[in-house]
């Protein structure tokens, strides 16, 4: 009954798991703020969702995109930017698909035909596009023009959103490409059209929503490239680990009524979970969505009975422990040298002694202010620590790895 076909846990990257935990504020932001405001023609910034690996950034926006598509919105695929790739070509190809969904290729208007033609050229040549023997806009202008046409078609429908999701944005290392991409998207977000309403004419924004997802490094890159429109036109949020309450709530269905699966004979059965087993999974993953899915997956595979026991969780974790450890090591290893030194020094101190001055001393620095910038980055940009009179870890799995508190069973 508990086999690979029925397992509702999935630690795979970008996969929307059946057992969903937390992120209610971000889902509510889409459902209750961003979508209704943009459909109503009101201005609302794009969203940039950043965070360390394993926190579910891409999965979150894939969930939003799935809900949007189910509501009839026009949604791009998850546009993952490979390292060194031209993001303009990627977005141009996606916009051509959206234009087809909006019925724009069938239009005989010269303006729309020209926009399609120019974006087709961008899809081929990308940021290196040159329009010889005739005047024409920069690639970002061509993208903006087509996106405006798509948004205008959606506005005429009255109940349709255009949603664009660009993932792994930290891989856009070309400054010109990054600038042109953010300007194109930002210009479309603020674009206004004039519409007729009872009693006159008004201006409204287009029903276009843009999500950017990636590692925390992206915000520094955008600032370093001095892309002025980024800070004004995109609202940035750094994801943190989930709370234990969020994770416990996700497992309540198992504990109370059981998770329904096929019995292999045309009927269904319910897989239950002991309360102690649910508590053990929550304790093991320390707020990490990836580790939560990993612990659940291996507990499911640990036996075939209709009840997941605490022993199943322990046996499963022994199988998963190597992968879990490697996941945390990757997070630690990608930190710049000074930041890695800071968290290691902080973890080595007793919790009641984790002040900035003591951490700086443990790092071999002469004064606390020498570690101030590093601590700010670990707090504001990465969401790994919380600063205060005493410094604490927000990333509890990283803290556990760096101390003797790392789960062993």
């Amino acid at each position: 009954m508990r086999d690979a076909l029925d397992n509702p846990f999935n630690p795979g990257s970008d996969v929307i798991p059946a057992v969903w935990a937390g992120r209610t504020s971000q889902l509510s932001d889409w459902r209750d703020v961003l979508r209704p405001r943009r459909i109503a023609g009101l201005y609302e910034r794009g969203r940039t969702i950043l965070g360390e690996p394993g926190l579910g950034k891409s999965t979150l926006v894939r969930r939003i995109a799935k809900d949007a598509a189910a509501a009839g919105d026009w949604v791009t695929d998850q546009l993952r930017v490979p390292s060194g790739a031209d993001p303009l070509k990627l977005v141009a190809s996606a916009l051509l698909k959206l234009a087809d969904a909006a019925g724009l290729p069938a239009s005989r208007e010269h303006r729309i035909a020209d926009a399609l033609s120019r974006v087709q050229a961008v899809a081929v040549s990308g940021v290196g596009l040159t329009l010889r023997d005739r005047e024409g806009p920069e690639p970002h202008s061509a993208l903006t023009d087509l996106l405006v046409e798509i948004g205008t078609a959606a506005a005429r429908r009255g109940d349709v959103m255009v949603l664009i999701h660009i993932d792994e944005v930290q891989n856009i290392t070309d400054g010109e490409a990054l600038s042109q991409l953010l300007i194109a998207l930002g210009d479309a977000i603020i674009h206004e059209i004039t519409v007729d309403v009872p009693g006159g004419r008004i201006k409204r924004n287009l029903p276009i929503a843009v999500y950017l997802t990636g590692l925390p490094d992206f915000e520094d890159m955008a600032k370093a490239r001095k892309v002025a429109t980024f800070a004004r036109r995109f609202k940035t949020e750094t994801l943190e680990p989930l709370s234990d309450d969020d994770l416990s709530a996700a497992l309540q269905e198992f504990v109370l009524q059981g998770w329904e699966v096929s019995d292999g004979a045309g009927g269904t059965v319910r897989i239950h979970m002991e309360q102690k087993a649910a508590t053990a999974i929550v304790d093991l993953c320390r707020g990490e969505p990836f580790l939560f899915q990993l612990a659940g997956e291996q507990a499911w595979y640990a036996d075939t009975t209709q009840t997941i026991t605490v022993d199943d969780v322990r046996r499963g974790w022994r199988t998963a422990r190597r992968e879990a450890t490697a996941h945390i090591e990757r997070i630690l290893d990608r930190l710049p040298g000074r930041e890695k030194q800071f968290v290691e020094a902080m973890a080595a101190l007793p919790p009641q002694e984790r002040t900035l001055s003591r951490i700086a001393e443990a790092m071999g620095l002469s004064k606390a202010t020498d570690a101030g910038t590093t601590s700010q980055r670990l707090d504001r940009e990465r969401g790994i620590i919380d600063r205060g009179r005493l410094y604490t870890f927000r990333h509890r799995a990283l803290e556990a790895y760096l101390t003797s508190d790392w789960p062993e069973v």
Side-chain angles (χ1 to χ4, degrees):
M1 285 172 283
R2 284 156 54 186
D3 59 26
L5 299 180
D6 291 326
N7 197 331
F9 296 95
N10 196 323
S13 175
D14 306 332
V15 176
I16 304 173
V19 183
W20 182 267
R23 305 305 182 208
T24 54
S25 63
Q26 292 82 12
L27 295 172
S28 176
D29 175 63
W30 160 256
R31 182 183 64 249
D32 302 329
V33 179
L34 183 53
R35 188 176 190 274
R37 283 183 61 84
R38 296 301 306 199
I39 282 187
L42 301 174
Y43 175 71
E44 189 67 31
R45 289 176 292 172
R47 301 295 194 259
T48 304
I49 298 180
L50 307 177
E52 295 299 322
L55 290 179
K57 306 172 294 294
S58 304
T59 301
L60 169 63
V61 180
R62 282 176 64 88
R63 163 77 181 270
I64 290 172
K66 180 181 178 182
D67 292 346
D73 293 338
W74 300 339
V75 180
T76 68
D77 295 329
Q78 176 186 357
L79 306 179
R80 183 184 287 108
V81 182
S83 181
D86 186 334
L88 294 186
K89 295 174 68 173
L90 192 70
V91 174
S93 297
L95 291 188
L96 290 172
K97 292 181 181 179
L98 286 185
D100 187 58
L104 296 186
S107 173
R108 296 186 179 183
E109 294 184 46
H110 175 74
R111 181 190 74 256
I112 294 177
D114 184 61
L116 286 167
S117 174
R118 289 184 176 278
V119 171
Q120 286 167 351
V122 176
V124 173
S125 302
V127 75
L129 175 67
T130 56
L131 300 172
R132 297 180 180 177
D133 303 324
R134 62 170 178 157
E135 294 183 358
E138 292 273 347
H140 75 82
S141 295
L143 295 183
T144 300
D145 289 345
L146 183 54
L147 190 48
V148 165
E149 296 295 345
I150 295 169
T152 301
R156 293 195 190 103
R157 287 277 300 270
D159 60 347
V160 172
M161 276 287 294
V162 177
L163 191 153
I164 300 169
H165 174 203
I166 304 176
D167 192 22
E168 304 289 0
V169 288
Q170 79 280 350
N171 287 334
I172 308 175
T173 55
D174 184 296
E176 182 181 356
L178 177 60
S179 177
Q180 294 223 17
L181 177 64
L182 293 179
I183 289 173
L185 298 173
D187 285 353
I189 288 173
I190 66 168
H191 188 84
E192 293 181 323
I193 59 173
T194 302
V195 296
D196 295 318
V197 297
R201 309 188 79 197
I202 64 168
K203 288 188 175 182
R204 60 154 293 164
N205 287 109
L206 299 172
I208 297 173
V210 178
Y211 278 91
L212 309 176
T213 53
L215 298 176
D217 315 74
F218 173 73
E219 189 171 17
D220 287 339
M221 291 167 50
K223 291 177 180 176
R225 301 292 183 182
K226 299 180 180 179
V227 184
T229 58
F230 173 68
R232 296 197 309 269
R233 299 177 180 178
F234 289 86
K235 177 182 178 182
T236 299
E237 179 177 5
T238 300
L239 291 188
E240 300 178 4
L242 298 171
S243 70
D244 286 351
D245 286 344
D246 285 335
L247 298 171
S248 296
L251 296 176
Q252 267 311 86
E253 183 173 347
F254 286 93
V255 175
L256 294 179
Q257 65 260 33
W259 189 274
E260 188 176 276
V261 299
S262 169
D263 65 359
T268 62
V269 296
R270 290 188 175 273
I271 304 300
H272 290 264
M273 183 180 291
E274 294 178 349
Q275 181 62 64
K276 288 184 178 180
T279 301
I281 289 176
V282 172
D283 180 60
L284 287 169
C285 68
R286 303 301 168 94
E288 277 281 286
F290 174 78
L291 297 186
F292 173 70
Q293 296 293 331
L294 183 63
E297 177 192 60
Q298 294 306 314
W300 182 279
Y301 288 142
D303 208 329
T304 59
T305 66
Q306 284 184 239
T307 302
I308 298 174
T309 67
V310 68
D311 286 337
D312 291 341
V313 174
R314 290 169 178 160
R315 286 197 300 272
W317 185 254
R318 281 193 285 270
T319 301
R321 188 172 55 190
R322 184 185 298 272
E323 185 176 1
T325 301
H327 168 67
I328 301 302
E329 288 174 343
R330 283 193 295 270
I331 296 174
L332 184 63
D333 290 343
R334 66 172 299 276
L335 292 178
R338 178 62 68 91
E339 294 177 30
K340 182 178 181 181
Q341 183 187 9
F342 188 101
V343 296
E344 289 176 337
M346 178 175 162
L349 293 170
Q352 66 274 16
E353 295 182 19
R354 290 173 181 170
T355 64
L356 183 59
S357 58
R358 289 284 288 115
I359 296 169
E361 180 184 350
M363 294 172 66
L365 302 176
S366 58
K367 52 185 183 296
T369 52
D370 291 341
T373 300
T374 302
S375 68
Q376 290 175 8
R377 286 180 52 79
L378 287 167
D379 181 359
R380 294 176 183 172
E381 275 82 23
R382 299 197 184 279
I384 289 179
I385 68 169
D386 265 323
R387 293 176 300 153
R389 188 185 70 81
L390 290 177
Y391 280 45
T392 57
F393 279 92
R394 260 183 280 173
H395 203 295
R396 291 178 289 136
L398 184 59
E399 176 187 23
Y401 173 80
L402 291 171
T403 66
S404 59
D405 199 30
W406 180 245
E408 300 284 352
V409 295

